[in-house]
């Protein structure tokens, strides 16, 4: 392995560490350490400070993610209901069913639910037991990122990468939330770590395990597919390029290894797709989000091409993904929806990528520092471009998938540019990364949270710019001030993202579109982002009103009427009450109407009730001890159950009540022509309505006409 930045005369081999990377007591060959000593102190060749700082980083990250973990209650009722149902039925756990009677699944594969349900089965179902795995996945992501980055650069770079992920607002949000994104990012980061291990050179006389590591990478990505489908595959182009470019193996061997890894992806994802296809449809729940009860169609349609190009029920507000993520295009990642969630370091990362590729242009093919730049840079670029141009539904919290790529790229390039600071070009490139971060952070603070600590934006700007200027000027007699410029500039420039992260950790978030930091969102809707108490900052110009449905119209009755009073279930907050007041869509931690809860709990039928939409059904599932059928799934427009199936369930006594007022406008997105609309019309025509605590309920055991 040769120079990481050969054109600026850096040390010839990252394996031959510069002085600051060597143990201070290395008077001879390092002695081997046993397993426990390595755990606490690191490897024999590691600097003394590396392992203690890593342990400190992981402990601080764990403390931040676990602290007051239940503040958001059940977070997203949709997934919380599925977790609760999984604790009551192993079949519901296996398929990711919303209800324990297995009517319909959530609109994602169940891998993330498998872990949350197991935790809830061990510790008992609660907000904490459900969110505990998510927080630990955040700690695991930091650890894996550190390990991957240090192997292509140095321990210091690995620590910086871990810190940068921990200081990303959307990461602090989603590693304490019950959406699938926490597990998705953990698995993709694990895949990157395995790729790094696969490209490592093996000392002469030792057997290469490149194939094993690459197969493990493929397996991780296969399970990422079972977590969030095609989004888990966005890192594959970077993985492929890095292995083709940097692996020391011969070309045909590299190709063979990549084909084997592809096979691992297919097998680790395909076994569950095959299981669903082979399992008799009548004895499993309907696959929510699909049009034909197929997991494969869900992957290609609703969670695939529908997200990329837009489609009925998934077009992001009529095209362009504008309802939730802002207009499509390169500016999306920097706009009011995504900007304060993830873009704090994107300008610096772009400079880092260009500088890293330029300075390593003469390095050997197998140079691992360049491989790291290509790996994390490719991850960032592909993911950002896809999210930017998606025409279907796109939410700002999807941006958590960018966090490891940005952090790894900035850390590696930053460390290598620092090593080459004797070069004016390298030093000014690093100063540019700091100054652009300070300037962009000032803009984000001023635009998205103008009332949030107004002094902070000036501290970030002035401190960052002064530090960058001192670093850039640190030549000759001023060389000794370079480290001061680096520390002052970097710490100041990171003040904005750090403050947003801390605010996120201290704030409750509920609903389907959580938002990090003290800002409102430009897409509103679906329960907003923050629970009762609202937003600290001002709503960005052009923001949609809270309660906006995917078709751009305000949903009526999106939160079941009557669930805004009474006491909240154990481990929850009164998030639904706030969502109901603001017109949100099924917030997290629902409060319950005592009379309605008692009525449903008295039933003995397979489903205590049926209502339109999974969010509405989820609030009832969490408020009661019974299964509740979600007619039409998440959007209210899935063809499950059909009118004939619903009538058969009623005739068999499987459903006791029909609760009006759920879904999009009470009849699904398809209105009266949809399956949910037809079921609603049939019920209202044949059964009498009564009111229970403000909720319109139909007793399906007492027909008024034939």
């Amino acid at each position: 392995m040769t120079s990481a930045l050969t054109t600026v005369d850096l040390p010839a081999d990252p394996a031959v560490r510069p002085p600051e990377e060597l143990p201070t007591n290395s008077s001879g060959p390092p002695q081997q350490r046993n397993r426990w000593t390595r755990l606490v102190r690191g490897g024999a060749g590691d600097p003394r400070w590396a392992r203690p700082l890593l342990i400190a980083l992981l402990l601080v990250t764990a403390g931040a993610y676990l602290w007051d973990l239940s503040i958001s209650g059940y977070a997203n009722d949709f997934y919380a209901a599925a977790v609760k149902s999984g604790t009551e039925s192993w079949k519901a756990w296996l398929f990711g069913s919303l209800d324990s009677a297995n009517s319909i699944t959530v609109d994602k594969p169940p891998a993330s639910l498998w872990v949350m349900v197991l935790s809830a089965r061990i510790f008992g179902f609660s907000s904490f037991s459900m969110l505990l795995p998510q927080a630990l996945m955040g700690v695991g992501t930091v650890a894996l990122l550190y390990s991957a980055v240090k192997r292509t650069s140095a321990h210091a770079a690995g620590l910086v990468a871990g810190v940068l992920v921990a200081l990303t607002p959307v990461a602090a949000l989603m590693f304490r939330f019950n959406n699938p994104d926490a597990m998705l990012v953990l698995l993709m980061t694990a895949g990157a770590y395995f790729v790094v291990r696969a490209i490592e050179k093996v000392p002469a006389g030792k057997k290469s395990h490149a194939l094993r590591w690459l197969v493990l990478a493929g397996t991780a990505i296969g399970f990422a597919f079972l977590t969030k489908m095609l989004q888990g595959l966005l890192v594959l182009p970077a993985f492929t390029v890095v292995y083709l470019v940097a692996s020391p193996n011969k070309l045909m061997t590299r190709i063979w290894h990549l084909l084997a890894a592809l096979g691992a992806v297919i097998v680790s994802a395909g076994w569950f797709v095959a299981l669903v296809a082979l399992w008799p449809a009548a004895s499993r729940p309907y696959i929510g989000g699909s049009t034909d009860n197929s997991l494969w169609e869900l992957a290609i349609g609703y969670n695939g091409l529908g997200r990329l190009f837009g489609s009925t029920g998934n077009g992001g507000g009529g095209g362009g993904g504008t309802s939730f993520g802002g207009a499509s295009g390169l500016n999306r990642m920097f706009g009011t929806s995504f900007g304060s969630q993830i873009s704090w370091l994107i300008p610096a990362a772009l400079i880092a990528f260009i500088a890293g590729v330029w300075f390593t242009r003469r390095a050997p093919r197998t140079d691992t520092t360049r491989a790291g730049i290509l790996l994390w840079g490719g991850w960032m670029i592909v993911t950002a471009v896809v999210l930017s141009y998606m025409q279907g539904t796109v939410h700002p919290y999807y941006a958590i998938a960018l966090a490891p790529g940005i952090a790894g790229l900035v850390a590696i390039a930053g460390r290598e540019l620092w090593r080459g600071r004797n070069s004016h070009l390298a030093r000014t490139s690093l100063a540019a990364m700091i100054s652009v971060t300070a300037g962009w952070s000032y803009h984000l603070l001023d635009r998205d949270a103008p009332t949030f600590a107004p002094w902070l934006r000036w501290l970030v700007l002035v401190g960052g710019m002064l530090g960058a200027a001192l670093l850039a000027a640190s030549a000759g007699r001023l060389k000794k001030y370079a480290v001061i410029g680096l520390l002052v500039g970097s710490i100041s420039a990171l003040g904005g993202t750090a403050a947003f992260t801390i605010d996120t950790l201290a704030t409750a978030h509920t609903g389907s579109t959580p938002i990090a930091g003290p800002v409102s969102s430009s897409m509103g809707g679906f329960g907003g982002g923050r629970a009762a108490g609202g937003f600290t900052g001002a709503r960005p110009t052009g923001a949609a009103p809270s309660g906006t449905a995917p078709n751009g119209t305000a949903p009526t009755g999106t939160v079941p009427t009557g669930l805004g009073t009474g006491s909240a279930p154990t481990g929850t907050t009164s998030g639904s009450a706030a969502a109901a007041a603001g017109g949100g869509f099924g917030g997290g931690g629902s409060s319950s109407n005592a009379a309605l809860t008692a009525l449903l709990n008295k039933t003995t039928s397979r489903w205590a009730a049926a209502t339109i939409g999974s969010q509405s059904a989820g609030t009832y599932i969490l408020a009661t001890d019974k299964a509740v059928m979600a007619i039409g799934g998440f959007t209210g427009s899935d063809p499950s159950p059909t009118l004939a199936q619903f009538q058969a369930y009623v005739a068999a006594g499987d459903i006791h009540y029909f609760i009006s007022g759920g879904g999009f406008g009470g009849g699904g997105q398809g209105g009266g022509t949809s399956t949910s609309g037809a079921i609603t019309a049939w019920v209202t025509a044949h059964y009498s309505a009564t009111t229970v605590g403000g909720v319109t309920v139909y007793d399906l055991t007492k027909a008024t006409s034939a």
Side-chain angles (χ1 to χ4, degrees):
M1 181 167 32
T2 58
S3 171
L5 301 177
T6 54
T7 61
V8 295
D9 195 27
L10 292 185
D13 191 344
V16 181
R17 302 294 185 189
E20 66 268 22
E21 291 291 285
L22 290 173
T24 58
N25 62 345
S26 56
S27 57
Q31 302 202 355
Q32 295 298 318
R33 294 173 174 172
N34 61 43
R35 181 179 302 177
W36 295 108
T37 303
R38 288 198 306 271
L39 180 64
V40 176
R41 299 176 57 188
D46 294 349
R48 288 181 173 181
W49 49 262
R51 186 53 57 95
L53 286 180
L54 172 62
I55 293 173
L57 171 62
L58 297 180
L59 288 176
V60 170
T61 303
Y65 289 167
L66 292 171
W67 174 73
D68 203 10
L69 185 58
S70 295
I71 189 174
S72 297
Y74 289 148
N76 188 340
D77 282 356
F78 179 56
Y79 292 111
V83 172
K84 181 182 180 183
S85 297
T87 65
E88 299 167 351
S89 164
W90 283 111
K91 182 182 289 187
W93 170 77
L94 176 62
F95 291 105
S97 178
L98 182 77
D99 62 284
S100 59
N102 294 292
S103 170
I104 192 169
T105 71
V106 299
D107 61 349
K108 300 291 186 297
S112 66
L113 294 174
W114 291 340
V115 181
M116 287 188 284
V117 169
L118 290 177
S119 176
R121 280 184 174 267
I122 293 171
F123 300 108
F125 177 67
S126 68
S127 171
F128 184 86
S129 66
M130 175 179 64
L131 297 177
L132 175 62
Q134 308 294 88
L136 295 180
M137 288 175 189
V139 179
T141 297
V142 170
L144 284 169
L145 181 62
Y146 161 83
S147 298
V149 169
K150 74 153 186 176
R151 288 179 174 274
T152 57
S153 183
H155 292 276
L159 290 168
V160 170
V163 169
L164 293 181
V165 165
L167 291 181
T168 302
V170 72
L173 172 69
M174 299 313 294
F175 285 130
R176 290 163 54 88
F177 211 75
N178 57 346
N179 281 29
D181 301 77
M183 185 167 180
L184 172 73
V185 171
L186 174 69
L187 289 169
M188 292 194 300
T189 307
Y193 169 77
F194 295 141
V195 169
V196 168
R197 296 301 303 269
I199 64 174
E200 289 178 335
K201 288 184 178 180
V202 178
K206 289 192 175 182
K207 182 180 179 181
S208 172
H209 296 291
L211 178 59
R212 181 185 68 183
W213 288 115
L214 210 60
V215 167
L216 284 173
T219 302
I221 299 306
F223 277 92
F225 178 88
L226 293 182
T227 302
K228 213 173 177 193
M229 295 197 149
L230 296 189
Q231 189 176 355
L233 307 183
L234 293 181
V235 294
L236 287 181
F239 289 6
T240 302
V241 168
V242 166
Y243 193 74
L244 279 176
V245 169
S247 170
N249 292 304
K250 295 180 179 179
L251 177 60
M252 292 308 299
T253 301
R254 281 176 267 156
I255 293 174
W256 148 241
H257 285 178
L258 286 171
L259 290 175
L262 176 61
V265 174
I266 294 172
V267 171
S268 57
W271 72 268
F272 186 73
V273 177
L275 176 69
V276 172
L278 296 174
W279 198 291
S283 65
R284 63 164 172 80
Y286 183 90
I287 302 302
S290 72
T291 59
D292 63 357
N293 200 12
S294 161
L295 195 66
W296 180 247
E297 195 280 331
L298 176 66
I300 299 300
Y302 179 82
N303 284 324
L305 299 180
R307 301 276 173 173
L308 291 175
F309 304 112
S311 64
T312 301
N314 197 21
T322 54
S323 278
F324 304 114
S328 60
L330 285 178
N331 187 54
R332 176 181 279 172
M333 292 298 104
F334 304 96
T336 54
S337 294
F338 278 86
S340 59
Q341 308 298 294
I342 191 64
S343 74
W344 304 88
L345 288 169
I346 288 181
L350 293 174
I351 294 174
F353 184 73
I354 294 171
V357 171
W358 173 258
F359 286 131
T360 60
R361 68 192 186 280
R362 297 176 183 170
R365 177 180 65 82
T366 58
D367 180 72
T368 56
T369 300
R370 181 174 57 197
I373 291 171
L374 292 176
L375 174 64
W376 304 111
W379 173 325
M380 178 192 73
I381 291 170
V382 172
T383 302
V385 168
V386 172
L387 292 180
S388 295
Y389 284 96
M390 283 173 61
Q391 299 297 310
T393 300
V394 56
H395 296 288
Y397 65 80
Y398 290 2
I400 188 179
L402 284 165
I406 294 171
L409 176 58
V410 169
I412 293 175
R415 188 260 179 181
E416 299 304 327
L417 290 171
W418 172 251
R419 291 175 64 201
R421 60 190 178 277
N422 288 335
S423 162
H424 176 73
L425 183 57
R427 191 172 63 254
T428 54
S429 296
L430 183 57
M433 290 172 61
I434 295 173
S435 62
V436 76
T437 300
W440 181 244
S441 296
Y442 172 88
H443 174 72
L444 289 176
L445 289 167
D446 184 62
R447 182 192 69 185
D448 293 349
T451 63
F452 175 72
W455 54 268
L456 178 62
R457 74 194 71 162
W458 293 106
L459 178 63
V460 168
L461 180 65
V462 175
M465 292 298 181
L466 287 177
L470 181 58
L471 174 61
S474 297
R477 289 181 298 176
L478 297 178
K479 184 177 180 180
K480 61 183 178 180
Y481 297 109
V483 67
I484 297 176
L486 176 69
L487 292 176
V488 171
S490 299
I491 294 173
S492 299
L494 292 174
T497 185
F500 264 55
T501 297
I502 293 171
D503 180 87
T504 301
L505 294 170
T507 305
H509 298 85
T510 63
S512 297
T513 57
I515 304 297
V519 295
S520 178
S521 69
S522 63
M523 77 292 181
F526 287 105
R530 301 161 75 93
F535 298 102
T536 305
R539 179 180 295 277
T541 303
S546 182
T548 304
N551 59 4
T553 60
T556 58
T558 52
V559 176
T561 307
L563 285 185
T565 60
S567 57
T570 302
T572 70
T573 65
S574 56
S576 285
F585 183 42
S590 51
S591 299
S592 62
N593 177 311
L596 181 57
T597 299
L599 180 69
L600 297 181
N601 279 333
K602 289 178 182 178
T603 62
T604 58
S605 53
R606 182 177 176 184
W607 290 280
T611 190
I612 306 298
S614 293
Q615 289 282 162
S616 301
T619 61
Y620 294 117
I621 291 171
L622 293 173
T624 68
D625 298 322
K626 301 295 181 178
V628 176
M629 176 185 289
I631 299 171
F634 182 78
T635 64
S637 59
D638 290 349
S640 172
T642 64
L643 176 58
Q645 289 172 329
F646 185 83
Q647 291 171 334
Y649 287 137
V650 172
D654 288 335
I655 309 172
H656 199 126
Y657 295 105
F658 176 83
I659 304 174
S660 182
F664 294 92
Q669 282 184 289
T673 61
S674 67
T675 298
S676 53
I679 290 174
T680 301
W682 179 77
V683 169
T684 56
H686 293 82
Y687 296 89
S688 298
T690 187
T691 301
V692 181
V695 181
T696 302
V697 178
Y698 296 83
D699 189 339
L700 302 183
T701 66
K702 300 176 181 179
T704 58
S705 61

